[in-house]
Amino acid sequence: MGTTQLESVPEPKYWHLKTVLTDALDSEFAVGEILPNERELAARFGVARATLRQALEQLELEGRLQRRRGVGTTVAPPRVGVDVSTSQQTWPGASDDAWQPVECGSAVPSAAVARLLDANGEEPVHTVRRIRVTHGQSVAAELLYVPAGSVPGLSAIDAPSGPARARAVLRELQHLDLDGQDRAVELGSARADDAKELDRLPGAPVLVVTTRYITGGRTVAASVATYRADTCRLTFGDSGDLEISDELPGGKKAS
Amino acid sequence: MGTTQLESVPEPKYWHLKTVLTDALDSEFAVGEILPNERELAARFGVARATLRQALEQLELEGRLQRRRGVGTTVAPPRVGVDVSTSQQTWPGASDDAWQPVECGSAVPSAAVARLLDANGEEPVHTVRRIRVTHGQSVAAELLYVPAGSVPGLSAIDAPSGPARARAVLRELQHLDLDGQDRAVELGSARADDAKELDRLPGAPVLVVTTRYITGGRTVAASVATYRADTCRLTFGDSGDLEISDELPGGKKAS
């Protein structure tokens, strides 16, 4: 940390290397191909391994490379568009839902969850854990929080836990009129449990989508979904999918 | 890169340190406060500086810390919600627009931009550069691509470049009926020009929002907007803002 002014900062070395590597990826490597190891790459481009690693991290952020344990660094396929549009106004668990319920528990919520639900924090909350699979790959993990008061019809006869319990909570939700959804997307890092589900290391960059479900002006449920940032782009809007060139966000100056 | 199976990977050391640091941030530091330097922090927590740096990077991803050149590492304020909902169906440059036009040029598009516009790549494209300021801070930089054919009323009398030209292009856009928008959000790294505008280093993580504007089934304009991932969360949906606790995506297990 110096006192350098922004205007006088030269282009960092890893940034230049990233541009060079991008060109090499375009011209020499195919999707899925394994890159030479760090030692070889550093030697080939005449840079320190620390510089190389920074450039590789950049390309990983941009979705051009994937680093997989036991495999190495491979050229990533284009990101998969995952529809998260709010236009349909349906409850989680509706018939066309892309999510699979895997677990369900019930507990007094943490302070953060109580705030998200605008709840007093004393009423128990059902927590449904779901995963989203697209093209055979786990792309997201979700915790759906449903205050017990939102699903009064949930019976003690229903399974006490597991996917069956999760399905029972989702089934009860469909009885409520859904008036609206609020949604936010932000950058986060994968929690250990989500990371395992998504086949990533804890701390990997993820896109965190938080949704509040509103009925009669009240938050009746909320969810926090964690999407793999390396393989997903989230799509919104009218057609629900947008073919974006994988070159554009990757640092190439367009036009 | 070993051949370790996911299940047997122990919690990485930086991950544990991150949890400890998060607690310290909650209990000992106020928003805006400058953290001790890396050497002191590494000594205090008894870890190598490389481990410390990884943990600090995690906390930066999660929006808990900001690293600013010439200042050091400070405790970040909660992220600002920036509305990017598509419900209003208005053109860029409408009266309630949060964006400021700064520049405008015209050129034959790159291959990537031509693909985004579904264009043949021979027609010139006006490129409007805009920045978005929220609460006095530059939060996003955008390139808006408008094929010359979409704004045939643009006159040669209009300014040839600069903000005045940008405003003329935006003014002409308002004459078209907007039928729909497709939008996608993904993780990217800041290009050098965007980074400068956003007061970040090139390569800093950003949220890239790509939008296609549709009229009569045709893409008549498209934009690529780069939002600071450290300070912004993008909000969608009915109310357009969602107060999300900054604790939730930050790795704390909720419920």
Side-chain angles (χ1 to χ4, degrees), chain B residues 229-240:
Chain B
D230 56 337
T231 57
C232 292
R233 69 171 197 276
L234 309 181
T235 63
F236 296 81
D238 303 315
S239 87

Side-chain angles (χ1 to χ4, degrees), chain A residues 115-187:
Chain A
R115 268 198 301 281
L116 182 62
L117 290 166
D118 290 326
N120 59 24
E122 285 160 26
E123 184 188 24
V125 169
H126 303 295
T127 302
V128 174
R129 186 164 179 79
R130 305 195 298 167
I131 57 167
R132 181 169 180 160
V133 177
T134 300
H135 302 310
Q137 193 187 42
S138 293
V139 294
E142 181 200 60
L143 290 174
L144 172 68
Y145 303 104
V146 183
S150 296
V151 287
L154 191 70
S155 157
I157 304 169
D158 286 311
S161 67
R165 179 71 169 183
R167 280 191 294 272
V169 171
L170 293 168
R171 183 195 67 214
E172 290 302 315
L173 266 186
Q174 318 295 323
H175 297 160
L176 291 169
D177 289 323
L178 179 59
D179 295 337
Q181 296 174 32
D182 274 334
R183 188 157 282 184
V185 178
E186 64 191 308
L187 181 62

Side-chain angles (χ1 to χ4, degrees), chain A residues 64-87:
Chain A
R64 295 297 310 261
L65 292 180
Q66 281 180 310
R67 285 195 277 186
R68 291 149 63 191
R69 272 153 301 141
V71 177
T73 302
T74 59
V75 181
R79 284 176 172 159
V80 174
V82 182
D83 182 25
V84 290
S85 63
T86 53
S87 52

Side-chain angles (χ1 to χ4, degrees), chain A residues 62 181 183 189 236 238, chain B residues 62 181 183 189 234 236 238:
Chain A
E62 294 169 10
Q181 296 174 32
R183 188 157 282 184
S189 68
F236 297 81
D238 303 313
Chain B
E62 294 170 10
Q181 295 173 31
R183 188 157 283 185
S189 67
L234 309 181
F236 296 81
D238 303 315

Side-chain angles (χ1 to χ4, degrees), chain B residues 68-89:
Chain B
R68 291 150 62 191
R69 273 152 300 142
V71 177
T73 302
T74 58
V75 181
R79 284 177 173 158
V80 175
V82 182
D83 182 23
V84 289
S85 63
T86 52
S87 51
Q88 69 265 29
Q89 301 289 26

Side-chain angles (χ1 to χ4, degrees), chain B residues 3-240:
Chain B
T3 51
T4 323
Q5 286 305 298
L6 186 62
E7 284 67 24
S8 63
V9 173
E11 194 172 69
K13 202 177 273 181
Y14 68 85
W15 186 257
H16 175 68
L17 175 62
K18 195 209 75 170
T19 315
V20 174
L21 278 170
T22 303
D23 290 340
L25 290 180
D26 288 338
S27 57
E28 295 176 37
F29 293 90
V31 165
E33 201 172 333
I34 301 174
L35 254 56
N37 66 35
E38 288 188 0
R39 188 184 303 271
E40 288 172 51
L41 283 175
R44 168 169 166 188
F45 293 102
V47 294
R49 283 181 69 172
T51 304
L52 176 74
R53 237 175 256 137
Q54 279 186 293
L56 295 178
E57 275 165 22
Q58 291 297 314
L59 290 165
E60 211 183 349
L61 271 189
E62 294 170 10
R64 294 299 308 265
L65 292 179
Q66 281 180 310
R67 285 196 278 185
R68 291 150 62 191
R69 273 152 300 142
V71 177
T73 302
T74 58
V75 181
R79 284 177 173 158
V80 175
V82 182
D83 182 23
V84 289
S85 63
T86 52
S87 51
Q88 69 265 29
Q89 301 289 26
T90 51
W91 281 111
S95 55
D96 60 343
D97 197 310
W99 295 87
Q100 298 169 5
V102 289
E103 187 50 80
C104 185
S106 198
V108 169
S110 69
V113 171
R115 268 198 300 282
L116 182 63
L117 291 166
D118 290 326
N120 60 21
E122 286 161 25
E123 184 188 23
V125 168
H126 303 295
T127 301
V128 174
R129 186 164 179 79
R130 304 195 298 166
I131 57 167
R132 181 168 179 161
V133 177
T134 300
H135 302 309
Q137 193 186 42
S138 293
V139 294
E142 182 200 60
L143 290 174
L144 171 69
Y145 303 104
V146 183
S150 297
V151 287
L154 192 70
S155 156
I157 304 169
D158 288 310
S161 67
R165 179 72 169 183
R167 281 191 294 273
V169 172
L170 293 168
R171 183 194 67 213
E172 290 302 315
L173 266 186
Q174 318 294 323
H175 298 160
L176 291 169
D177 289 322
L178 180 60
D179 295 337
Q181 295 173 31
D182 274 334
R183 188 157 283 185
V185 178
E186 64 190 308
L187 181 62
S189 67
R191 285 199 319 255
D193 52 349
D194 291 336
K196 191 170 166 183
E197 205 91 77
L198 301 174
D199 191 20
R200 303 287 289 153
L201 278 177
V206 289
L207 296 169
V208 179
V209 179
T210 308
T211 309
R212 281 212 286 217
Y213 298 92
I214 316 286
T215 290
R218 225 164 46 83
T219 303
V220 290
S223 66
V224 178
T226 300
Y227 288 79
R228 284 182 67 148
D230 56 337
T231 57
C232 292
R233 69 171 197 276
L234 309 181
T235 63
F236 296 81
D238 303 315
S239 87

Side-chain angles (χ1 to χ4, degrees), chain A:
Chain A
M1 309 268 172
T3 50
T4 324
Q5 286 304 299
L6 186 63
E7 284 66 25
S8 63
V9 173
E11 195 173 69
K13 202 178 272 183
Y14 70 85
W15 186 257
H16 175 69
L17 175 61
K18 195 209 75 169
T19 315
V20 174
L21 278 170
T22 303
D23 290 340
L25 290 180
D26 288 339
S27 57
E28 295 175 39
F29 293 90
V31 165
E33 201 171 334
I34 301 173
L35 254 56
N37 66 35
E38 288 187 0
R39 189 183 304 271
E40 287 172 53
L41 283 175
R44 169 169 166 187
F45 293 103
V47 294
R49 283 181 70 171
T51 305
L52 176 73
R53 238 175 255 136
Q54 278 186 294
L56 294 178
E57 275 165 23
Q58 291 296 315
L59 290 165
E60 212 183 349
L61 271 189
E62 294 169 10
R64 295 297 310 261
L65 292 180
Q66 281 180 310
R67 285 195 277 186
R68 291 149 63 191
R69 272 153 301 141
V71 177
T73 302
T74 59
V75 181
R79 284 176 172 159
V80 174
V82 182
D83 182 25
V84 290
S85 63
T86 53
S87 52
Q88 69 265 32
Q89 300 290 23
T90 53
W91 282 108
S95 56
D96 60 342
D97 198 312
W99 295 87
Q100 299 169 3
V102 291
E103 187 52 79
C104 185
S106 197
V108 170
S110 69
V113 172
R115 268 198 301 281
L116 182 62
L117 290 166
D118 290 326
N120 59 24
E122 285 160 26
E123 184 188 24
V125 169
H126 303 295
T127 302
V128 174
R129 186 164 179 79
R130 305 195 298 167
I131 57 167
R132 181 169 180 160
V133 177
T134 300
H135 302 310
Q137 193 187 42
S138 293
V139 294
E142 181 200 60
L143 290 174
L144 172 68
Y145 303 104
V146 183
S150 296
V151 287
L154 191 70
S155 157
I157 304 169
D158 286 311
S161 67
R165 179 71 169 183
R167 280 191 294 272
V169 171
L170 293 168
R171 183 195 67 214
E172 290 302 315
L173 266 186
Q174 318 295 323
H175 297 160
L176 291 169
D177 289 323
L178 179 59
D179 295 337
Q181 296 174 32
D182 274 334
R183 188 157 282 184
V185 178
E186 64 191 308
L187 181 62
S189 68
R191 286 199 318 256
D193 52 349
D194 291 336
K196 191 171 167 182
E197 206 90 77
L198 301 174
D199 191 20
R200 302 288 287 154
L201 278 177
V206 290
L207 296 169
V208 179
V209 179
T210 308
T211 309
R212 281 212 287 216
Y213 298 92
I214 316 286
T215 290
R218 225 164 46 84
T219 303
V220 290
S223 66
V224 179
T226 300
Y227 287 80
R228 284 182 66 150
D230 56 338
T231 57
C232 292
R233 70 170 197 274
L234 310 181
T235 62
F236 297 81
D238 303 313
S239 87
D241 193 49
L242 169 58
E243 283 307 316
I244 297 177
S245 159
D246 55 335
E247 287 174 45
L248 261 180
K252 285 199 181 165
K253 176 98 182 180
S255 137

